[in-house]
Amino acid sequence: MHFAAALPLQSGAQIRDYALSFETYGRLNADKSNAVLICHALNASHHVAGLYAGQDKSEGWWDNMIGPGKPLDTDKFFVIGVNNLGSCFGSTGPMHVNPDNGRVYGADFPVVTVEDWVNAQARLLDAMGIATLAAVMGGSLGGMQALSWTLQYPQRVRHAVVVASAPNLTAENIAFNEVARRAIVTDPDFHGGHFYDHGVIPKRGLRIARMIGHITYLSDDVMNEKFGRQLRSTLGHETTATSVEAYLYSTQEIEFQIESYLRHQGDKFAEYFDANTYLLITRALDYFDPARDHGGDLSQALARASSKFLLVSFTTDWRFAPKRSREIVKALLDNRRDVSYAEIDAPHGHDAFLLDDPRYLGLVRSYFDGMFKEIAA
Amino acid sequence: MHFAAALPLQSGAQIRDYALSFETYGRLNADKSNAVLICHALNASHHVAGLYAGQDKSEGWWDNMIGPGKPLDTDKFFVIGVNNLGSCFGSTGPMHVNPDNGRVYGADFPVVTVEDWVNAQARLLDAMGIATLAAVMGGSLGGMQALSWTLQYPQRVRHAVVVASAPNLTAENIAFNEVARRAIVTDPDFHGGHFYDHGVIPKRGLRIARMIGHITYLSDDVMNEKFGRQLRSTLGHETTATSVEAYLYSTQEIEFQIESYLRHQGDKFAEYFDANTYLLITRALDYFDPARDHGGDLSQALARASSKFLLVSFTTDWRFAPKRSREIVKALLDNRRDVSYAEIDAPHGHDAFLLDDPRYLGLVRSYFDGMFKEIAA
């Protein structure tokens, strides 16, 4: 959907003549009360569920969660997936042309925040004639957007489902983002963010950024279980030799399975993800901090929220640890809000929010079932 | 000290005509029973204690631990600090000339392991006429060397002091090393490890490597306490503004204090550390795994050890967590060895082993006091 009117951004800049890519699933009911907005995290898009015709392996990124008969049942709810401004999967982003000067934005794409994304999503809902959401839902950075919806548009959100998220980033979270950004920005192929003009891509930096990201998405336990200290595959077979005689004694060759996995993830990512988008989205994560304008008092910041909440965290998530979700729960309870909270004992780290855990999926299903009864009543 | 005879390495290669830099502190007693060898970790050297004449700020890296009247008291013990092969602080390393072809080693420096370092250290002691060490001591990678001493030369070590260490690296530990190595190796200035010939240094890669390292040395708690979400200094003063209006809205400028700290650490490190040494030392960490030749059974691997042990870990160390030290303790107890173990409740993460914690320093003092009574008896 194209938006001609300028959207004022938190930074004071604005963006005009932009487009948002979105997909919808299911049918909006007569009183438009069954809409659920899905907000995405770093590496995802508006394509949250289903397959594209004729394209195997094109499942939406939350296809285990959303679809007919699934926990968020598209036979009951009208689900909207939207790609955020600055992303590289369809909506206006750094690879597009700046209408002000006719040149590709590149590094000149304005810095966007979680709040800006929520404002852009609200405009999309306006255009669709949806005044109130049954729910807004997201994991990780998507959870931050869901939380922000309840503060920016408290009257437009009945429920917020905030999964594996946090009320802001810790210094360590920012630190990992910063190293990833430095890897990209100092790649000679970055050219100050105007690499498109040079016909190159800062793939070295993107690979490093993704490798760092992947380490923080997984738990130490699941890494040990999946890879441990196993040596690389040899001629297509995992080497089963356990002796030190199997070592290659090389600093640059792949020696351990975990190295092979990380390099593969980095290579894949560098093929399709935009470097400027990586900078923008990690910065949006850094900036999100609803308590900042309230002297750091999250309870005060969340006093505006009037939605009902479901928060979910995962025990082995060390990126957005359960204690971060509990901070949100506590701040909501301080305001006597209606909050459900589940801490799922899952081994997969931060990635768990995308995976098939029966207790997690069952919990979300039951929450949406309850919501549907409210709507039907 | 120069060594003409070739040292056979674990990889099957060998190294000849090499030198080890070392320093000693205190006096060797008449029966040569008071020698303590200190093994260093990634970014350290033979200069473990004291100041160089006329050089302020030249304190040894373990100066709070070692010296006259200090926990490891050089009025009582003869302390030896030795720089390892492949390092860049004096001993033969990648920046030196390969006697086989008259060219700088660079990436051709042979891969060295913890076991190789211990063998080289043993040769140094041979040359000094020291048959038996009162103790071998090290933190982190240095602790791995201390542990390996008790397996390679069980009769030559009375005590081993193993601080903030582990019996091997986890997949996550290897993963962080690998990302750091990829940042270095893919820096266009690395030139396959022969950058010296090109008159350049892969500083971009070294900076990223050091930034990643620093994140893993600190605890999440201490990062939050030291930096939190504070914004950068403005005109030499920390900005005290807490509102989002203080944000710069930039993806490349320094916005948060933690970014400034990490960039500074990275810049400093890239000025003095050798890129090939970084690859070698992180690989030595990856390879260390005494249980590997025993089907993963650490108890069986440690059956050879006959020393007495002191192990120390720190509660907030997530790089080499207390549970890794406990694995060593358990394996030693399975063999009915004499083990003391302390888990220090310190907030500083892995870095704690280098810092002034009164309980930690007091504990080491008391352990060495007891050792001195044994020697004097």
Side-chain angles (χ1 to χ4, degrees):
Chain A
M1 186 174 293
H2 180 258
F3 296 83
L7 178 75
L9 302 173
Q10 191 178 328
S11 64
Q14 56 175 41
I15 186 163
R16 67 179 176 88
D17 280 325
Y18 63 90
L20 292 184
S21 290
F22 69 101
E23 291 183 7
T24 67
Y25 316 82
R27 286 172 53 181
L28 190 60
N29 61 9
D31 60 355
K32 300 188 174 181
S33 64
N34 70 335
V36 177
L37 177 70
I38 305 297
C39 305
H40 70 75
L42 198 149
N43 176 35
S45 72
H46 49 290
H47 183 47
V48 299
L51 281 165
Y52 293 131
Q55 292 180 44
D56 287 350
K57 297 187 179 178
S58 67
E59 290 90 0
W61 59 270
W62 224 347
D63 192 58
N64 58 345
M65 179 68 83
I66 300 162
K70 295 190 179 174
L72 172 43
D73 189 346
T74 52
D75 288 336
K76 296 173 178 165
F77 290 95
F78 176 67
V79 174
I80 307 153
V82 55
N83 187 220
N84 284 325
L85 276 173
S87 180
C88 51
F89 296 119
S91 294
T92 300
M95 293 185 293
H96 292 100
V97 170
N98 181 349
D100 289 343
N101 58 24
R103 293 179 50 200
V104 170
Y105 277 110
D108 300 330
F109 196 88
V111 168
V112 282
T113 64
V114 166
E115 288 80 2
D116 295 331
W117 286 333
V118 168
N119 286 334
Q121 291 158 6
R123 279 193 177 187
L124 175 67
L125 296 188
D126 292 344
M128 296 169 83
I130 297 170
T132 308
L133 289 165
V136 57
M137 178 180 184
S140 190
L141 174 57
M144 290 175 170
Q145 293 161 62
L147 179 60
S148 208
W149 258 99
T150 70
L151 306 178
Q152 293 175 250
Y153 300 98
Q155 303 311 320
R156 298 185 70 171
V157 189
R158 289 215 180 81
H159 293 265
V161 181
V162 178
V163 185
S165 196
N168 62 25
L169 294 197
T170 63
E172 187 184 86
N173 292 147
I174 297 172
F176 279 120
N177 281 347
E178 171 68 0
V179 181
R181 281 191 298 263
R182 294 313 292 165
I184 290 170
V185 166
T186 64
D187 183 330
D189 285 338
F190 183 66
H191 294 287
H194 294 284
F195 50 90
Y196 319 102
D197 301 344
H198 295 78
V200 292
I201 290 170
K203 286 193 181 179
R204 288 174 294 237
L206 279 166
R207 286 190 195 110
I208 297 295
R210 185 57 164 181
M211 291 169 85
I212 295 170
H214 254 279
I215 299 175
T216 69
Y217 303 152
L218 299 179
S219 70
D220 194 24
D221 285 351
V222 86
M223 268 202 188
N224 281 331
E225 195 188 291
K226 278 175 87 166
F227 307 105
R229 296 183 50 82
Q230 285 175 69
L231 300 186
R232 77 271 152 212
S233 301
T234 309
L235 300 174
H237 301 285
E238 278 181 24
T239 175
T240 52
T242 55
S243 141
V244 296
E245 310 218 334
Y247 284 157
L248 290 176
Y249 296 103
S250 164
T251 59
Q252 296 185 42
E253 299 297 311
I254 287 173
E255 183 72 275
F256 296 93
Q257 293 267 346
I258 180 67
E259 297 173 335
S260 169
Y261 170 79
L262 285 179
R263 288 196 198 184
H264 176 68
Q265 295 296 333
D267 289 350
K268 263 201 324 190
F269 189 72
E271 291 299 321
Y272 70 81
F273 207 84
D274 178 68
N276 285 308
T277 291
Y278 202 92
L279 305 185
L280 286 169
I281 297 192
T282 55
R283 213 35 148 178
L285 274 160
D286 293 355
Y287 282 138
F288 183 66
D289 190 5
R292 190 164 199 104
D293 276 340
H294 298 270
D297 185 336
L298 189 63
S299 300
Q300 208 182 94
L302 300 195
R304 288 179 61 81
S306 58
S307 319
K308 296 178 180 175
F309 283 84
L310 170 64
L311 282 106
V312 183
S313 71
F314 301 93
T315 49
T316 57
D317 182 353
W318 61 278
R319 190 166 201 250
F320 290 160
K323 72 174 174 181
R324 305 310 317 277
S325 284
R326 278 188 243 122
E327 289 174 37
I328 300 173
V329 171
K330 183 187 176 299
L332 290 168
L333 291 177
D334 286 346
N335 288 296
R336 301 177 179 280
R337 294 295 175 267
D338 184 331
V339 193
S340 302
Y341 174 57
E343 205 164 301
I344 308 277
D345 189 7
H348 308 97
H350 189 60
D351 258 3
F353 89 88
L354 295 167
L355 301 178
D356 289 333
D357 182 290
R359 285 170 300 180
Y360 163 47
L361 295 180
L363 176 84
V364 175
R365 178 185 295 277
S366 127
Y367 193 79
F368 276 104
D369 282 353
M371 202 186 301
F372 187 67
K373 282 179 197 140
E374 280 177 18
I375 292 169
Chain B
M1 186 175 293
H2 181 259
F3 298 82
L7 178 75
L9 302 174
Q10 191 178 328
S11 65
Q14 56 174 40
I15 186 163
R16 69 178 175 87
D17 281 326
Y18 63 89
L20 293 184
S21 290
F22 69 102
E23 291 183 7
T24 67
Y25 316 83
R27 287 172 54 181
L28 190 61
N29 61 9
D31 60 356
K32 300 187 173 181
S33 64
N34 70 335
V36 177
L37 177 70
I38 305 298
C39 305
H40 69 75
L42 198 149
N43 175 34
S45 72
H46 50 290
H47 183 47
V48 299
L51 281 166
Y52 294 131
Q55 292 181 43
D56 288 351
K57 297 186 178 178
S58 66
E59 291 90 0
W61 58 270
W62 225 346
D63 192 59
N64 58 344
M65 179 68 83
I66 300 162
K70 296 190 180 174
L72 171 44
D73 189 346
T74 52
D75 289 336
K76 296 173 179 166
F77 290 95
F78 177 68
V79 173
I80 306 153
V82 56
N83 187 221
N84 284 325
L85 275 172
S87 179
C88 52
F89 297 119
S91 294
T92 300
M95 292 186 293
H96 292 101
V97 170
N98 180 349
D100 290 344
N101 58 22
R103 292 180 50 201
V104 170
Y105 277 110
D108 300 331
F109 195 89
V111 167
V112 282
T113 64
V114 166
E115 287 79 3
D116 295 331
W117 286 333
V118 168
N119 287 333
Q121 291 159 5
R123 279 194 177 186
L124 174 67
L125 296 188
D126 293 344
M128 296 169 81
I130 296 170
T132 309
L133 289 165
V136 58
M137 179 179 184
S140 190
L141 174 57
M144 290 175 169
Q145 293 162 60
L147 179 60
S148 207
W149 258 98
T150 70
L151 306 177
Q152 293 175 249
Y153 300 98
Q155 303 311 320
R156 296 185 71 170
V157 189
R158 291 214 179 82
H159 293 266
V161 182
V162 177
V163 184
S165 196
N168 62 25
L169 295 197
T170 62
E172 187 184 86
N173 292 146
I174 297 173
F176 279 120
N177 281 346
E178 171 69 0
V179 182
R181 280 191 298 263
R182 295 312 293 166
I184 290 171
V185 165
T186 63
D187 184 330
D189 286 338
F190 183 65
H191 294 288
H194 295 285
F195 51 90
Y196 318 103
D197 301 344
H198 295 77
V200 292
I201 290 170
K203 286 192 182 180
R204 288 174 292 237
L206 279 166
R207 285 190 196 111
I208 297 295
R210 185 57 163 180
M211 290 169 85
I212 294 170
H214 254 278
I215 298 175
T216 69
Y217 304 152
L218 299 180
S219 70
D220 193 24
D221 285 351
V222 84
M223 268 202 189
N224 281 331
E225 195 188 293
K226 279 176 86 166
F227 306 106
R229 297 182 49 82
Q230 284 175 70
L231 300 186
R232 77 273 153 209
S233 301
T234 309
L235 300 174
H237 302 283
E238 279 181 25
T239 174
T240 50
T242 54
S243 141
V244 297
E245 310 221 331
Y247 284 158
L248 289 175
Y249 296 102
S250 163
T251 60
Q252 297 186 41
E253 299 297 311
I254 287 174
E255 183 72 275
F256 296 92
Q257 293 267 343
I258 180 67
E259 297 172 335
S260 169
Y261 170 80
L262 285 178
R263 289 196 198 182
H264 177 68
Q265 295 295 334
D267 290 349
K268 265 202 322 190
F269 189 71
E271 290 299 321
Y272 71 81
F273 207 85
D274 178 69
N276 285 307
T277 291
Y278 202 92
L279 304 185
L280 286 168
I281 298 192
T282 55
R283 212 37 147 176
L285 274 160
D286 292 355
Y287 281 139
F288 183 67
D289 190 5
R292 190 165 199 104
D293 276 340
H294 298 269
D297 184 336
L298 189 63
S299 300
Q300 208 182 93
L302 300 195
R304 289 178 60 81
S306 58
S307 319
K308 295 177 179 176
F309 283 83
L310 170 64
L311 283 105
V312 183
S313 72
F314 301 93
T315 47
T316 57
D317 182 353
W318 61 279
R319 191 167 200 248
F320 290 161
K323 72 174 175 184
R324 305 310 317 276
S325 284
R326 279 189 241 121
E327 289 175 35
I328 301 173
V329 170
K330 183 186 176 301
L332 290 168
L333 291 176
D334 286 346
N335 288 296
R336 299 175 181 279
R337 295 294 175 270
D338 184 330
V339 193
S340 302
Y341 173 56
E343 206 164 300
I344 307 278
D345 188 7
H348 307 97
H350 189 60
D351 258 3
F353 89 88
L354 295 167
L355 301 178
D356 290 333
D357 182 290
R359 285 169 301 181
Y360 164 47
L361 295 180
L363 177 84
V364 175
R365 177 186 296 277
S366 128
Y367 193 78
F368 276 103
D369 282 352
M371 201 188 300
F372 186 68
K373 282 180 196 137
E374 281 177 18
I375 293 168

